[in-house]
Amino acid sequence: MINLIQKNIFRTIFGFLIIFTLNLYSEDQSDADSFFGREAPIYPLQDNLIGWIDSRQILTLNGEWSYIVDPMNNGLHESSFFGGFPKNKIQKTGMELIEYNFETASKIQIPGAWNAKDEKLFFYRGPVWLYKKFNYLPKQDALTHLYIEGSNFTTKIFLNGSIVGEFEGGYVPFNFDISKYLKEGENILLVQTDNTLNESSVPTQKTDWWPWGGIVGDVYIVETPKQFIQNAYIQLNPENFSEVLFKLEMNEKSAGHKIKLEIPELQFKAEYQTNSLGLVKENIEITPQLWSPSSPKLYEVIISSNAETISDEIGFRSIKTQGQKIYLNDREIKFKGIAMHSEPIGTPGPAFSKEHFQELLSTAKDLNINFIRAAHYPYTRHLARVADRFGLMLWEEVPVYWNIDWNNSDTLNIAKNQIVRLVQRDQNRASVVVWSVANETPLSSPRMKFLHALLSEIEAHDSSRLSTAALLSGSEEQFSSLVLVLALQGAKSQWVNPKEKAIFRLILDQANIPINTELAFSLSIDDPLGESVDLISYNEYFGWYYVTFFTEQIKISEGTLRKLMFEIMPKIKIASSFNKPIHISEFGAGAKFGNHSNKIWSEEYQAKLYARQLEMLSNNPQIQGISPWVFKDFRAMLRPLPGIQDFYNRKGLIDEAGNKKMAFEVLADFYKNKWNKETTSN
Ligand code: GCB
């Protein structure tokens, strides 16, 4: 008997090896592929976004989840020999061969990124499985949705062994109807999230921030009636402050749904009916007190249908540009800003909660700011909620960063989906005054087409805010004229050494420029995208980056060039051929907290650079807003310098623990005492 069994096993193994060998050596590669994997199933795509999430019936799935790292992507049904992790097989007799077990796996807090939780995963970019068990009582006559506020960057969802769907693109919320997969009692949710970026993703592989992996926003089970309010928009008419535009959309395109709108504090109550597309669109006559940084007034707004009631706290304000100025509620305002990344103070990983943003924004307020650039991707909805209450204006952005696969329609769809979802989520936040579609994207015609497509999405969904993109500008000729201005300064200088002076003179001679010429450097922002945006935003790094390129070209020491640059900076002219306001969306310098010297990476150098930059920027009348780079040191794989960076970008005004660097006070003082005081109190 034993012999027979042994023989069979031997035969099976032998057969297995033969197939294995045959397939390995098969001429036809697809046979080999199908041996290791199965056909990939179709993953349904996400549903339309559900708005007003905070007033829905929700069960939170935030908290402790289990996780298994899957670097070879072996847990999917289609790539696994044994059927994949979603089957969630459990050993019963101790004899079943199952090479995973979510019950005994390591634990992680969700929302949260695995790179921050587990040291071994610090640099990890790949798939990880996240597992959550929850009890549920499915409701008749209701729909149940799974809502995830952000998951980086490709997410596959399985519930009780069934495929729910897939969402591509990080940072933005998405939801799936899971009604048909739910069971009474224990339910098992398995989410595979993969933070790999590639040349066609948004962003692409290279970013100057950490590609945090995992579920980075709230996870909720949301119950709605079968016919529910998908979303609603209620915003001031910028042309008439006694009128508000109200737009509502049902999930089903059908007429006759009765909708009640109430704003109790304004004694406003009205009823409407949806049209055949399931829409309401009305202009409402009310005169709210306007939201502004000095008075961030919010009103409770309640919307009900026959089957449900949703509500929110909403502020009303207008934002416009006219000529080269910016107006909030028709009063001129300057954006006294700071740029940020979504990382909390003192805690590694991404920021996601109300508490994280409360701490970030209240510390940032010590800079006397009225504006925040939330670079370079959407943060969770808590940011804009906190900003609404704190009276801070916000710039929100999608991660179309550096070079993107401009000609790829899938890439465009990811970016469109990101901007649309961001707008749909935050469209009622008074704090949000700017939508940005890109950061530092090199000029080309496919890039123009791509960015125009994103701007059109904004136009179609919400044209009441300012559109922008942080531009790169300045032609080669413009920058070579910067070398000439430095050479003039150097040739005349009292402190530059004779050898370097001789080089400067030679440069001037070759350019036929007499040494007594008065020449100031002027930069014109002429990116053709300027035509299509409301705000001309521009990132510049005078005093930090540019001289590094010149030092090699002209053989002058970097120290000399940096000193000369500081001397000429206050006279630099920045303008644009577009008759629109300019916002300097970045400038900055790296400094390690506690590092004191007169060299780079010191707090002193950073503070001096701020002083020179601020002098330069306030001498340029077209500049109506600034958001220096950056509020806090943030994690960045591009920044390895040991002892200084250690994988942090050190351009923060505070370090990761919240310690203030010297430049913090320089900016705080500028905003409080120097830059057009009259426009601060708006
Ligand atoms: C930039 C980028 C930003 C970088 C920054 C820097 O121009 O927009 O993402 O982090 O420079 O620190 O170099």
Side-chain angles (χ1 to χ4, degrees), residues 373-430:
R373 174 184 179 199
H376 285 300
Y377 42 78
Y379 303 3
T380 69
R381 71 194 189 290
H382 299 293
L383 168 73
R385 292 202 159 278
V386 173
D388 263 12
R389 295 194 173 275
F390 281 30
L392 286 169
M393 293 178 284
L394 271 186
W395 154 321
E396 294 198 323
E397 179 170 336
V398 286
V400 176
Y401 183 84
W402 293 348
N403 222 1
I404 291 275
D405 199 352
W406 305 112
N407 286 310
N408 186 330
S409 59
D410 292 340
T411 306
L412 178 61
N413 283 338
I414 297 172
K416 274 187 183 171
N417 202 16
Q418 284 172 325
I419 192 82
V420 170
R421 281 166 185 270
L422 174 61
V423 172
Q424 287 173 336
R425 188 194 67 188
D426 285 351
Q427 61 191 4
N428 293 319
R429 300 282 73 86

Side-chain angles (χ1 to χ4, degrees), residues 99-110:
E99 296 184 79
Y100 60 91
N101 184 342
F102 285 101
E103 284 297 316
T104 54
S106 307
K107 308 287 182 255
I108 186 170
Q109 286 296 316
I110 295 296

Side-chain angles (χ1 to χ4, degrees), residues 208 376 401-402 439-440 539 541 545 586 629 634 639 649 651:
D208 193 21
H376 285 300
Y401 183 84
W402 293 348
N439 180 75
E440 295 182 350
N539 296 349
Y541 279 91
Y545 284 127
E586 289 180 27
W629 194 253
F634 59 93
R639 312 290 174 177
N649 182 314
K651 296 190 189 72

Side-chain angles (χ1 to χ4, degrees), residues 206-406:
K206 222 181 237 183
T207 59
D208 193 21
W209 73 88
W210 215 261
W212 297 114
I215 299 182
V216 292
D218 295 318
V219 187
Y220 296 147
I221 300 286
V222 183
E223 280 171 16
T224 62
K226 289 213 161 131
Q227 296 176 331
F228 65 92
I229 302 166
Q230 186 81 47
N231 207 350
Y233 175 99
I234 177 157
Q235 290 284 282
L236 191 71
N237 176 352
E239 306 311 325
N240 175 359
F241 295 170
S242 294
E243 196 173 272
V244 159
L245 174 61
F246 173 54
K247 288 190 291 184
L248 176 142
E249 185 192 352
M250 296 295 292
N251 66 319
E252 280 187 12
K253 297 188 187 345
S254 54
H257 294 283
K258 281 206 187 101
I259 299 294
K260 192 155 81 186
L261 173 68
E262 290 168 85
I263 307 176
E265 205 182 324
L266 294 171
Q267 281 97 42
F268 179 84
K269 207 185 264 191
E271 280 198 8
Y272 311 100
Q273 292 224 356
T274 58
N275 64 18
S276 60
L277 296 171
L279 303 175
V280 174
K281 197 170 170 196
E282 295 285 339
N283 288 321
I284 295 163
E285 280 179 29
I286 47 171
T287 309
Q289 182 192 320
L290 300 181
W291 181 99
S292 71
S294 57
S295 166
K297 172 74 189 152
L298 301 177
Y299 289 93
E300 186 188 21
V301 176
I302 307 167
I303 304 175
S304 358
S305 68
N306 284 342
E308 67 181 328
T309 296
I310 58 175
S311 63
D312 202 353
E313 304 268 306
I314 294 178
F316 301 97
R317 53 100 198 92
S318 77
I319 186 81
K320 286 182 211 163
T321 63
Q322 203 181 355
Q324 301 187 354
K325 304 279 185 209
I326 308 169
Y327 296 87
L328 179 79
N329 302 330
D330 284 350
R331 292 179 64 189
E332 191 188 329
I333 193 155
K334 284 197 159 57
F335 291 157
K336 301 183 171 195
I338 189 74
M340 271 194 189
H341 265 289
S342 186
E343 291 183 8
I345 300 172
T347 312
F352 49 79
S353 67
K354 181 169 149 197
E355 292 70 27
H356 287 153
F357 293 115
Q358 274 171 342
E359 193 182 3
L360 279 166
L361 269 49
S362 63
T363 314
K365 271 200 121 180
D366 292 346
L367 286 166
N368 305 311
I369 53 167
N370 62 15
F371 182 90
I372 285 176
R373 174 184 179 199
H376 285 300
Y377 42 78
Y379 303 3
T380 69
R381 71 194 189 290
H382 299 293
L383 168 73
R385 292 202 159 278
V386 173
D388 263 12
R389 295 194 173 275
F390 281 30
L392 286 169
M393 293 178 284
L394 271 186
W395 154 321
E396 294 198 323
E397 179 170 336
V398 286
V400 176
Y401 183 84
W402 293 348
N403 222 1
I404 291 275
D405 199 352
W406 305 112

